Amino acid sequence: DIQMTQSPSSLSASVGDRVTITCRAGQSISTYLNWYQQRPGKAPILLIYAASTLQSGVPSRFSGSGSGTDFTLTISSLQPEDFATYYCQQSYSTPLTFGGGTKVEI
Amino acid sequence: QVQLQESGPGLVKPSETLSLTCAVSGHSISSGYYWGWIRQPPGVGLEWVGSIHHSGSTYYDPSLKSRVTISVDTSKSQFSLKLTSVTAADTAVYYCVGGRWLQTFDSWGQGNLVTVSS
């Protein structure tokens, strides 16, 4: 199984801040990496797929980068609705695996 | 816009079978999408359970493979999850998911909390 490790596990930020979340894969996965956002009590939603492609309808303040084993999700200017938990997921091979999540708090 | 709605019991006894169904609307279940299940134990992260293509091809997490069956009923536009011999470790919110590719989940149901307890 491909281990996915996110850092930090939580962070505190303010509205308007630039936020960066890191995800590391246990082996090279090229750009087979997705990012999801989960607000409290809600189902996750797909933000970014293939490491850097924005899902339709997702605000442009979200961006993703990376390849191989190291990836980042960046929120350029944090908005109130962005306080949530973010998960990375490798889409390189089954079993599909997720990172442990990064909780973005006020 | 694909819409997914889970249904099933919220409480299952240990050693029994967990059964959930996901109704698909807004998209043909036979259109080439992949359908699947992801679970989230309380306070923990996300775990992929397995997926199915409308053609019937299935893909399961190896750690659950001996206990899991995912099937599609095209006549009812729904797919189902069965997990046998459940224990407390199977307590989780179960989400049904769909996507254009096996590995990416662009549609999610609202989630169904299943508690395993006597």
Side-chain angles (χ1 to χ4, degrees):
Chain A
D1 299 8
I2 299 176
Q3 182 87 359
M4 305 300 294
T5 304
Q6 286 183 236
S7 61
S9 57
S10 66
L11 64 90
S12 295
S14 301
V15 173
D17 284 355
R18 181 181 181 88
V19 170
T20 298
I21 297 169
T22 297
C23 178
R24 175 163 289 176
Q27 66 179 70
S28 178
I29 58 171
S30 184
T31 57
Y32 291 94
L33 192 283
N34 302 325
W35 290 98
Y36 299 85
Q37 175 196 66
Q38 185 177 32
R39 296 187 177 117
K42 300 294 187 182
I45 62 170
L46 177 65
L47 294 177
I48 288 170
Y49 62 93
S52 61
T53 303
L54 210 61
Q55 171 71 348
S56 175
V58 174
S60 59
R61 62 180 179 274
F62 291 93
S63 64
S65 64
S67 66
T69 60
D70 295 320
F71 302 86
T72 58
L73 171 69
T74 300
I75 309 172
S76 60
S77 178
L78 200 65
Q79 298 302 300
E81 60 268 30
D82 301 336
F83 291 96
T85 300
Y86 294 84
Y87 294 94
C88 62
Q89 174 239 323
Q90 62 83 13
S91 55
Y92 182 80
S93 65
T94 58
L96 305 171
T97 49
F98 292 83
T102 296
K103 186 173 183 180
V104 177
E105 301 175 295
I106 299 173
Chain B
Q1 180 85 4
V2 179
Q3 295 186 323
L4 305 175
Q5 177 73 52
E6 304 94 346
S7 61
L11 182 65
V12 180
K13 290 183 168 56
S15 81
E16 295 190 345
T17 297
L18 179 161
S19 296
L20 294 172
T21 297
C22 183
V24 179
S25 59
H27 191 86
S28 169
I29 199 169
S30 304
S31 68
Y33 257 48
Y34 289 85
W35 311 102
W37 296 90
I38 289 171
R39 69 182 186 178
Q40 185 170 35
V44 184
L46 301 164
E47 302 174 355
W48 176 68
V49 175
S51 298
I52 187 168
H53 188 253
H54 74 87
S55 64
S57 298
T58 53
Y59 311 82
Y60 299 134
D61 187 293
S63 68
L64 298 172
K65 188 173 184 178
S66 63
R67 299 193 292 130
V68 173
T69 302
I70 297 175
S71 58
V72 170
D73 186 337
T74 55
S75 66
K76 295 182 179 179
S77 195
Q78 64 185 34
F79 61 98
S80 301
L81 168 69
K82 290 190 187 302
L83 182 65
T84 62
S85 304
V86 297
T87 69
D90 295 309
T91 293
V93 174
Y94 285 77
Y95 295 100
C96 61
V97 295
R100 291 164 286 173
W101 309 290
L102 167 65
Q103 308 92 331
T104 300
F105 316 113
D106 50 45
S107 298
W108 293 66
Q110 86 285 355
N112 189 324
L113 174 62
V114 179
T115 301
V116 179
S117 175
S118 55

